[in-house]
């Protein structure tokens, strides 16, 4: 394929393909000549192809040329409607740019040259061998035209560039000043036209001095010299317009040559705006830098803050951690406390129950489990069978599963539990305590009985002894002498003492066990006083004591236990006789508005102040020691005090050392309600 | 002794002494006889009840703590029988607590003495009881 193509594209055909055939208009009135030219061109083996049209006169030619475009015109100057130079001129008017080759006759070379002067490209002389020359001439004409076209085109192109450039471009000669300037130059310097511009010297278009202080005339020469020497020079220059206005410019001088002379092409650009912009840019840049610095500073501050924040955060995290730990600890403590509390409740010795207002057991601890003898699970949910009395301690008896009875002391309080009011019952197993109490009661009873038996057992033989002594002493068994009587008196006194001792012990026990009861009956105190007087009169007489009675005869009958009051008075008189040693012992009765007073006074040694407070204490006996003459258990006054107080009376003593003592007891006239007579005399 | 004779003449009553203590019975008996009283004795409650039937005394001195039957029980038996209910009883006791005294008075005893008693006191009480009985 490729091979065939090569064959096809060779020779003429290639020329045909590459180029349009050269269009020729042949203007020739002579048919032979016309035929000749055609034949010559057609038989030509040149690499040119021609498309030939022919016309016989000028008007036909002008018509053709007006309608169509031709590459070249070959014209005979001698035409029917035109001849000579006129033909060239007329054609040239129609086709100024199309090459024209004229054909002239032999010997008419002058005409050919004239044609060239009038715009023809070449001339050919007819009748000379035309074959080679013709084609060469056509080619030369065409080439010339082509070169001329190219030059013109290039010139126009550059001129357009030159003139339309927004930069001011000018030609300057160091010697002659401005040679030329483009449109922009004229505008730049504010000139009327190019003429005006060229008429100005470079110094005219600059201020006297440049900003660096150099004179513009001097400096411009320097700048141009540098450009000539180095080929180019770019610098800033301050220019001045025709109207005197100055402006900054960037000037580029480029060395070039014109007709063998070194000249300069100058490009001047107004950089005022640029400068402004530059300044603005600089300012903006400065501001940007400032802003940037500020931003940088801000960034540093922010970083510092960030660091601080991080530190704070870390601290807070640490604190949170610590708090969490504390909370954990607290929680643990709370849990422990809760567990402890739970354990305390569970391990509490008292049974604890929570009973709601429907009487249902809601909670039970270990002790409750033990108390009821049933597991918690069974107790919770059951009805509590006992009435819970708020804020009161009651005893309840619980029968355990096995039938064992347990006594419990129950204390109930109302509390809030799980948002409702419930009873919290504390149950204490008091079975053992109860048993102990029973045992104690029994023991007390045994003791009491024992004391009864003992006193009975002691009194019985005393009765026989006393009876025997009385019998003999009274002479019922026959007369006795003084010595015998004296001995028996001593015996009798000691038997009485023993009897009193036994009575005191017994009374003491009665007070202790709370069994001392009074047998209150209406009585007159004077009778008691007389009885006691009777009893002690003989003894007093024997010991040389003056026993006296001073009774108030107007005493009312009042309620009292005569045996007990007799016992008290006996005790007081006995003591008085014992301690008086000599002098008087006076039994005296009086009354006040409310009380009856009974006093026993003696003229003995008296009682020391310190001892008075101890007098009525049990087992206290005064003067215990070497000078103790008289016996006794020390129970007498204590029992007397208790007996009198049991009657709602009082007992007291007044004593002056060396002068004697007075014991006084009172009995209320109004019989107290609690000791209302139990018996009424028949 | 004119006073002694007078006493003996006055004290013609028959007194029963009830006590399980033979020493006391003996001494009391001697004293009362010396004072002119006729004395009969019983060694315990049952003996007393038995003898009271056959030989009713003018006054009974009744001990409390005795075997078989105590004084208060004997008292209530005596007071329960028509034959014996008017015989005055003086309780003689070694144990004169409140309950006993109350029980004795409620049971119908006219008086009581606590051992060891003063014979003068006892004789006076006997005299008073017999005197009021004669009235």
């Amino acid at each position: 394929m490729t091979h065939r193509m090569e064959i096809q594209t060779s020779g003429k055909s290639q020329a045909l393909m590459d180029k349009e055939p050269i269009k020729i208009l042949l203007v020739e009135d002579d048919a032979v000549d016309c035929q000749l030219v055609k034949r010559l061109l057609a038989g030509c083996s040149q690499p040119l192809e021609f498309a030939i049209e022919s016309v016989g006169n000028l008007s036909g030619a002008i018509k053709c040329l007006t309608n169509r475009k031709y590459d070249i015109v070959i014209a005979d100057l001698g035409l029917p409607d035109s001849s000579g130079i006129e033909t060239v001129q007329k054609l040239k008017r129609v086709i100024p740019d199309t090459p024209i080759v004229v054909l002239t006759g032999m010997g008419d070379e002058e005409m050919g040259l004239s044609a060239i002067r009038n715009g023809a490209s070449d001339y050919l002389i007819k009748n000379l061998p035309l074959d080679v020359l013709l084609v060469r001439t056509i080619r030369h004409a065409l080439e010339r035209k082509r070169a001329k076209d190219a030059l013109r085109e290039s010139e126009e192109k550059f001129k357009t560039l030159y003139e339309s450039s927004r930069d001011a471009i000018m030609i300057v000669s160091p010697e002659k000043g401005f040679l030329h300037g483009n449109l922009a130059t004229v505008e730049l310097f504010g000139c009327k036209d190019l003429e005006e511009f060229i008429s100005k010297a470079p110094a005219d278009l600059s201020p006297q001095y440049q900003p660096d202080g150099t004179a513009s005339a001097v400096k411009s020469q320097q700048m141009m010299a540098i450009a000539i020497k180095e080929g180019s020079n770019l610098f800033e220059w301050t220019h001045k317009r025709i109207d005197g206005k100055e402006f900054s410019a960037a000037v580029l001088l480029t060395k070039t040559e014109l007709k063998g002379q070194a000249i300069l092409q100058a490009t001047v650009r107004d950089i005022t705006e640029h400068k402004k912009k530059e300044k603005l840019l600089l300012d903006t840049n400065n501001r940007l830098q400032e802003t940037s610095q500020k931003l940088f500073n801000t960034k540093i501050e922010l970083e510092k803050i960030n660091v601080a924040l991080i530190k704070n955060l870390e601290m807070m995290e640490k604190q949170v951690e610590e708090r969490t730990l504390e909370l954990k600890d607290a929680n643990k403590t709370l849990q422990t406390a809760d567990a402890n509390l739970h354990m305390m409740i569970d391990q509490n010795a008292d049974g604890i129950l929570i009973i709601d207002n429907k009487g249902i057991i809601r909670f039970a601890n270990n002790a409750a489990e033990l108390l009821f003898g049933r597991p918690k699970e069974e107790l919770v949910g059951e009805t509590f069978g006992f009435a819970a009395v708020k804020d009161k301690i009651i005893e309840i008896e619980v029968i355990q599963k096995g039938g064992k009875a347990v006594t419990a002391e129950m204390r109930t309080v109302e509390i809030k539990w799980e948002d409702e009011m419930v009873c919290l019952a504390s149950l204490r197993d008091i079975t053992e305590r109860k048993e102990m109490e029973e045992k104690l009661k029994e023991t007390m009873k045994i003791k009491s009985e024992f004391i009864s038996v003992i006193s009975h057992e002691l009194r019985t033989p005393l009765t026989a002894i006393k009876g025997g002594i009385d019998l003999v002493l009274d002479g019922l068994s026959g007369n006795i002498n003084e010595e015998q009587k004296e001995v028996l008196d001593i015996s009798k006194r000691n038997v009485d003492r023993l009897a009193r001792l036994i009575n005191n012990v017994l009374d003491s026990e009665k007070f202790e066990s709370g069994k001392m009861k009074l047998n209150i009956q209406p009585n007159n105190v004077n009778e008691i006083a007389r009885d006691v007087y009777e009893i002690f009169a003989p003894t007093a007489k024997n010991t040389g004591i003056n026993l006296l009675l001073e009774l108030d005869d107007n005493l009312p009958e009042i309620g009292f236990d005569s045996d007990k009051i007799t016992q008290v008075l006996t005790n007081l008189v006995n003591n008085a006789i014992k301690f008086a040693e000599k002098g008087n012992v006076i039994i005296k009765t009086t009354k006040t508005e409310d009380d009856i007073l009974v006093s026993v006074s003696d003229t003995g040694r008296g009682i020391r102040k310190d001892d008075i407070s101890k007098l009525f204490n049990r087992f206290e006996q005064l003067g215990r020691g070497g000078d103790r003459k008289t016996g006794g258990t020390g129970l007498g006054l204590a029992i007397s005090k208790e007996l009198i107080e049991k009657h709602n009376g009082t007992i007291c003593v007044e004593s002056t050392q060396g002068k004697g003592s007075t014991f006084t007891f009172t009995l209320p006239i109004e019989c107290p309600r609690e000791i209302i007579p139990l018996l009424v005399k028949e | 002794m004119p006073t002694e004779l007078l006493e003996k003449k006055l004290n013609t009553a028959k007194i029963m002494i009830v006590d399980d203590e033979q020493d006391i019975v003996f001494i009391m008996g001697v004293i009362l006889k010396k004072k002119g009283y006729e004395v009969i004795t019983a060694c315990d409650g049952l003996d007393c009840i038995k003898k009271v039937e056959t030989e009713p005394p003018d006054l009974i001195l009744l001990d409390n703590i005795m075997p078989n039957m105590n004084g208060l029980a004997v008292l209530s038996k005596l007071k329960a029988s028509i034959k014996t209910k008017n015989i005055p009883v003086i309780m003689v006791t070694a144990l004169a607590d409140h309950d006993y005294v109350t029980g004795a008075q409620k049971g119908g005893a006219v008086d009581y003495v606590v051992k060891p008693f003063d014979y003068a006191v006892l004789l006076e009480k006997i005299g008073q009881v017999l005197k009021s009985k004669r009235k």
Side-chain angles (χ1 to χ4, degrees), chain A residues 31 52 59 93 114 129 153 254 259 281 309 315 356 384 390 428 450 488 505 519 537 570 572 619 623 632 644 646:
Chain A
I52 304 166
S59 56
R93 256 177 251 146
S114 178
E153 204 177 310
T254 310
K259 293 169 191 167
L281 194 69
L309 274 175
M315 232 160 75
D356 66 16
F384 186 61
K390 235 182 290 168
R428 182 166 296 179
F450 175 73
L488 284 175
V505 170
N519 183 16
T570 303
L572 293 179
F619 304 110
I644 294 299
K646 196 109 179 145

Side-chain angles (χ1 to χ4, degrees), chain A residues 452 455-456 459-460 462-464 466-468 470-471 476-477 492 499 510 517-519 521 563 678-679, chain B residues 21 23-24 27 30-31 34-35 65 94-99 101-102 105 112 114-119:
Chain A
S452 295
S455 61
H456 174 256
R459 279 166 171 175
T460 303
L462 268 182
T463 311
K466 194 171 159 67
D470 282 351
L471 188 133
L476 293 177
S477 57
K492 182 178 158 69
K510 276 180 187 164
K517 286 175 187 169
L518 300 179
N519 183 16
Q521 289 189 8
D563 284 351
L678 293 168
L679 294 168
Chain B
E21 289 284 338
D23 290 350
I24 290 172
I27 288 175
V30 170
I31 291 167
K34 289 283 179 187
K35 292 292 177 183
I65 298 164
L95 206 70
D97 63 22
H98 182 264
D99 290 346
V101 173
T102 313
Q105 287 179 326
Y112 70 93
V114 181
K115 288 176 182 178
F117 46 84
D118 218 315
Y119 280 94

Side-chain angles (χ1 to χ4, degrees), chain A residues 396-571:
Chain A
I396 61 167
E397 195 167 81
V398 178
I399 309 296
Q400 289 187 344
K401 238 182 183 175
K404 189 185 162 197
V406 173
T407 310
E409 194 178 79
M410 180 166 79
R411 186 172 153 272
T412 321
V413 288
E414 206 171 36
I415 59 158
K416 202 170 181 186
W417 193 70
E418 290 177 0
D419 284 335
E420 54 177 302
M421 293 312 289
V422 296
C423 279
L424 172 79
S426 298
L427 294 141
R428 182 166 296 179
D429 188 343
I430 55 162
T431 313
E432 252 175 67
R433 198 180 83 191
K434 275 270 166 187
E435 278 169 9
M436 290 293 284
E437 277 173 8
E438 285 300 318
K439 223 176 243 178
L440 190 70
K441 252 189 216 170
E442 204 152 315
T443 309
M444 289 299 282
K445 201 178 156 197
I446 289 166
K447 181 196 167 197
S448 182
E449 275 171 10
F450 175 73
I451 286 174
S452 295
V453 170
I454 285 288
S455 61
H456 174 256
E457 288 304 311
L458 288 171
R459 279 166 171 175
T460 303
L462 268 182
T463 311
I465 296 165
K466 194 171 159 67
I469 291 166
D470 282 351
L471 188 133
V472 177
L473 204 58
D474 279 1
L476 293 177
S477 57
N479 287 333
I480 54 169
N481 61 30
E482 277 306 305
E483 199 185 359
Q484 287 167 331
K485 191 175 183 290
E486 200 177 331
V487 170
L488 284 175
D489 271 337
I490 292 165
S491 298
K492 182 178 158 69
R493 234 179 18 242
N494 281 286
V495 167
D496 288 346
R497 192 174 135 197
L498 191 56
R500 274 203 307 279
L501 177 67
I502 292 162
N503 283 342
N504 284 347
V505 170
L506 200 69
D507 282 348
S508 185
E509 192 277 325
K510 276 180 187 164
F511 274 116
E512 206 175 283
S513 63
K515 271 186 179 170
M516 176 57 79
K517 286 175 187 169
L518 300 179
N519 183 16
I520 304 290
Q521 289 189 8
N523 284 304
N524 196 317
V525 174
N526 285 346
E527 278 178 29
I528 307 293
R530 276 188 206 104
D531 285 349
V532 174
Y533 174 81
E534 291 297 331
I535 293 166
F536 283 98
T539 319
K541 204 177 170 185
N542 288 344
T543 49
I545 297 241
N546 232 350
L547 183 63
L548 302 167
L549 264 181
E550 286 179 18
L551 303 179
D552 182 342
D553 289 330
N554 296 318
L555 291 187
E557 258 197 357
I558 59 165
F560 60 87
D561 185 324
S562 59
D563 284 351
K564 304 299 182 222
I565 299 304
T566 304
Q567 189 181 336
V568 173
L569 195 54
T570 303
N571 188 37

Side-chain angles (χ1 to χ4, degrees), chain A residues 209-216 219 222-223 236-238:
Chain A
Y209 298 100
Q210 286 299 308
D212 64 354
T214 322
S216 295
K219 198 175 181 183
Q222 284 174 353
M223 289 296 125
E236 248 180 51
W237 190 262
T238 303

Side-chain angles (χ1 to χ4, degrees), chain A residues 5-137:
Chain A
M5 288 259 300
E6 268 173 25
I7 293 168
Q8 280 179 344
T9 56
S10 66
K12 262 187 183 169
S13 56
Q14 192 184 347
L16 278 169
M17 282 172 72
D18 282 355
K19 290 177 179 170
E20 291 280 308
I22 297 163
K23 288 189 266 306
I24 298 173
L25 180 67
L26 181 64
V27 187
E28 180 63 75
D29 63 330
D30 190 307
V32 177
D33 284 351
C34 185
Q35 230 20 68
L36 178 71
V37 171
K38 279 185 180 175
R39 200 171 59 239
L40 276 173
L41 291 173
C44 183
S45 59
Q46 297 297 315
L48 290 169
E49 195 163 342
F50 305 104
I52 304 166
E53 282 178 43
S54 61
V55 286
N57 55 28
L58 183 66
S59 56
I62 287 167
K63 205 175 170 184
C64 284
L65 290 166
T66 312
N67 292 334
R68 287 182 64 191
K69 201 177 179 204
Y70 296 89
D71 295 315
I72 192 164
V73 177
I74 300 169
D76 185 357
L77 292 180
L79 294 168
D81 51 353
S82 176
S83 64
I85 292 304
E86 194 187 349
T87 307
V88 176
Q89 286 169 339
K90 282 182 179 169
L91 281 172
K92 202 69 188 173
R93 256 177 251 146
V94 182
I95 42 162
D97 294 327
T98 307
I100 301 165
V101 174
V102 292
L103 296 170
T104 59
M106 195 67 140
D108 209 0
E109 253 185 270
E110 199 62 34
M111 182 63 77
L113 287 170
S114 178
I116 289 172
R117 281 195 293 271
N118 282 283
S121 302
D122 211 343
Y123 70 93
L124 283 170
I125 298 169
K126 285 182 189 178
N127 301 325
L128 284 175
L130 276 175
D131 51 353
V132 178
L133 202 63
L134 176 66
V135 175
R136 189 191 59 90
T137 302

Side-chain angles (χ1 to χ4, degrees), chain A residues 638-652:
Chain A
I639 289 166
S640 296
K641 185 170 182 264
E642 283 184 280
L643 285 172
I644 294 299
E645 282 172 0
K646 196 109 179 145
H647 280 88
N648 280 10
T650 56
I651 186 163
C652 63

